[in-house]
PDB file of all heavy atoms in Angstrom:
ATOM      1  N   LEU A  66     -23.462  32.260  -4.631  1.00  0.00           N
ATOM      2  CA  LEU A  66     -22.756  33.452  -5.072  1.00  0.00           C
ATOM      3  C   LEU A  66     -21.415  33.455  -4.329  1.00  0.00           C
ATOM      4  O   LEU A  66     -21.371  33.396  -3.086  1.00  0.00           O
ATOM      5  CB  LEU A  66     -23.543  34.704  -4.673  1.00  0.00           C
ATOM      6  CG  LEU A  66     -22.951  36.074  -4.994  1.00  0.00           C
ATOM      7  CD1 LEU A  66     -22.609  36.188  -6.478  1.00  0.00           C
ATOM      8  CD2 LEU A  66     -23.940  37.132  -4.587  1.00  0.00           C
ATOM      9  N   VAL A  67     -20.351  33.469  -5.117  1.00  0.00           N
ATOM     10  CA  VAL A  67     -18.984  33.340  -4.545  1.00  0.00           C
ATOM     11  C   VAL A  67     -18.263  34.659  -4.825  1.00  0.00           C
ATOM     12  O   VAL A  67     -18.132  35.081  -5.989  1.00  0.00           O
ATOM     13  CB  VAL A  67     -18.219  32.183  -5.168  1.00  0.00           C
ATOM     14  CG1 VAL A  67     -16.847  32.066  -4.551  1.00  0.00           C
ATOM     15  CG2 VAL A  67     -18.997  30.885  -5.000  1.00  0.00           C
ATOM     16  N   PHE A  68     -17.781  35.305  -3.754  1.00  0.00           N
ATOM     17  CA  PHE A  68     -16.964  36.522  -3.856  1.00  0.00           C
ATOM     18  C   PHE A  68     -15.525  36.144  -3.580  1.00  0.00           C
ATOM     19  O   PHE A  68     -15.203  35.456  -2.602  1.00  0.00           O
ATOM     20  CB  PHE A  68     -17.388  37.551  -2.798  1.00  0.00           C
ATOM     21  CG  PHE A  68     -18.798  38.010  -2.968  1.00  0.00           C
ATOM     22  CD1 PHE A  68     -19.834  37.465  -2.261  1.00  0.00           C
ATOM     23  CD2 PHE A  68     -19.082  39.079  -3.843  1.00  0.00           C
ATOM     24  CE1 PHE A  68     -21.109  37.907  -2.375  1.00  0.00           C
ATOM     25  CE2 PHE A  68     -20.388  39.516  -4.009  1.00  0.00           C
ATOM     26  CZ  PHE A  68     -21.422  38.921  -3.288  1.00  0.00           C
ATOM     27  N   VAL A  69     -14.639  36.504  -4.518  1.00  0.00           N
ATOM     28  CA  VAL A  69     -13.228  36.171  -4.403  1.00  0.00           C
ATOM     29  C   VAL A  69     -12.415  37.455  -4.428  1.00  0.00           C
ATOM     30  O   VAL A  69     -12.473  38.220  -5.407  1.00  0.00           O
ATOM     31  CB  VAL A  69     -12.791  35.248  -5.578  1.00  0.00           C
ATOM     32  CG1 VAL A  69     -11.293  34.884  -5.450  1.00  0.00           C
ATOM     33  CG2 VAL A  69     -13.621  33.997  -5.627  1.00  0.00           C
ATOM     34  N   ALA A  70     -11.683  37.704  -3.316  1.00  0.00           N
ATOM     35  CA  ALA A  70     -10.853  38.916  -3.266  1.00  0.00           C
ATOM     36  C   ALA A  70      -9.573  38.673  -4.068  1.00  0.00           C
ATOM     37  O   ALA A  70      -9.009  37.594  -4.044  1.00  0.00           O
ATOM     38  CB  ALA A  70     -10.507  39.239  -1.815  1.00  0.00           C
ATOM     39  N   GLY A  71      -9.183  39.686  -4.857  1.00  0.00           N
ATOM     40  CA  GLY A  71      -7.975  39.555  -5.636  1.00  0.00           C
ATOM     41  C   GLY A  71      -7.572  40.821  -6.302  1.00  0.00           C
ATOM     42  O   GLY A  71      -8.246  41.849  -6.195  1.00  0.00           O
ATOM     43  N   THR A  72      -6.466  40.764  -6.983  1.00  0.00           N
ATOM     44  CA  THR A  72      -5.967  41.891  -7.733  1.00  0.00           C
ATOM     45  C   THR A  72      -6.792  42.038  -9.046  1.00  0.00           C
ATOM     46  O   THR A  72      -7.474  41.114  -9.467  1.00  0.00           O
ATOM     47  CB  THR A  72      -4.513  41.697  -8.097  1.00  0.00           C
ATOM     48  OG1 THR A  72      -4.405  40.524  -8.875  1.00  0.00           O
ATOM     49  CG2 THR A  72      -3.640  41.591  -6.852  1.00  0.00           C
ATOM     50  N   PRO A  73      -6.763  43.214  -9.659  1.00  0.00           N
ATOM     51  CA  PRO A  73      -7.542  43.442 -10.887  1.00  0.00           C
ATOM     52  C   PRO A  73      -7.254  42.478 -11.999  1.00  0.00           C
ATOM     53  O   PRO A  73      -8.103  42.178 -12.849  1.00  0.00           O
ATOM     54  CB  PRO A  73      -7.180  44.882 -11.298  1.00  0.00           C
ATOM     55  CG  PRO A  73      -6.811  45.559 -10.006  1.00  0.00           C
ATOM     56  CD  PRO A  73      -6.079  44.455  -9.213  1.00  0.00           C
ATOM     57  N   ASP A  74      -6.020  41.939 -12.061  1.00  0.00           N
ATOM     58  CA  ASP A  74      -5.673  41.020 -13.156  1.00  0.00           C
ATOM     59  C   ASP A  74      -5.967  39.573 -12.832  1.00  0.00           C
ATOM     60  O   ASP A  74      -5.774  38.707 -13.641  1.00  0.00           O
ATOM     61  CB  ASP A  74      -4.185  41.161 -13.522  1.00  0.00           C
ATOM     62  CG  ASP A  74      -3.251  40.832 -12.359  1.00  0.00           C
ATOM     63  OD1 ASP A  74      -3.678  40.977 -11.196  1.00  0.00           O
ATOM     64  OD2 ASP A  74      -2.121  40.436 -12.598  1.00  0.00           O
ATOM     65  N   PHE A  75      -6.522  39.241 -11.648  1.00  0.00           N
ATOM     66  CA  PHE A  75      -6.837  37.868 -11.305  1.00  0.00           C
ATOM     67  C   PHE A  75      -8.134  37.482 -11.984  1.00  0.00           C
ATOM     68  O   PHE A  75      -9.146  38.165 -11.868  1.00  0.00           O
ATOM     69  CB  PHE A  75      -7.011  37.746  -9.761  1.00  0.00           C
ATOM     70  CG  PHE A  75      -7.281  36.378  -9.294  1.00  0.00           C
ATOM     71  CD1 PHE A  75      -6.294  35.381  -9.334  1.00  0.00           C
ATOM     72  CD2 PHE A  75      -8.545  35.959  -8.850  1.00  0.00           C
ATOM     73  CE1 PHE A  75      -6.531  34.086  -8.871  1.00  0.00           C
ATOM     74  CE2 PHE A  75      -8.812  34.728  -8.452  1.00  0.00           C
ATOM     75  CZ  PHE A  75      -7.823  33.748  -8.444  1.00  0.00           C
ATOM     76  N   GLY A  76      -8.137  36.368 -12.665  1.00  0.00           N
ATOM     77  CA  GLY A  76      -9.276  35.923 -13.437  1.00  0.00           C
ATOM     78  C   GLY A  76      -9.734  34.514 -13.126  1.00  0.00           C
ATOM     79  O   GLY A  76     -10.398  33.849 -13.917  1.00  0.00           O
ATOM     80  N   GLU A  77      -9.352  33.999 -11.971  1.00  0.00           N
ATOM     81  CA  GLU A  77      -9.580  32.563 -11.612  1.00  0.00           C
ATOM     82  C   GLU A  77     -10.741  32.426 -10.659  1.00  0.00           C
ATOM     83  O   GLU A  77     -10.829  31.438  -9.916  1.00  0.00           O
ATOM     84  CB  GLU A  77      -8.319  31.972 -11.042  1.00  0.00           C
ATOM     85  CG  GLU A  77      -7.141  31.987 -11.968  1.00  0.00           C
ATOM     86  CD  GLU A  77      -7.285  30.928 -13.002  1.00  0.00           C
ATOM     87  OE1 GLU A  77      -7.880  29.872 -12.743  1.00  0.00           O
ATOM     88  OE2 GLU A  77      -6.734  31.107 -14.094  1.00  0.00           O
TER      89      GLU A  77
END
Side-chain angles (χ1 to χ4, degrees):
L66 178 57
V67 181
F68 297 95
V69 180
T72 59
D74 62 333
F75 182 73
E77 298 285 331

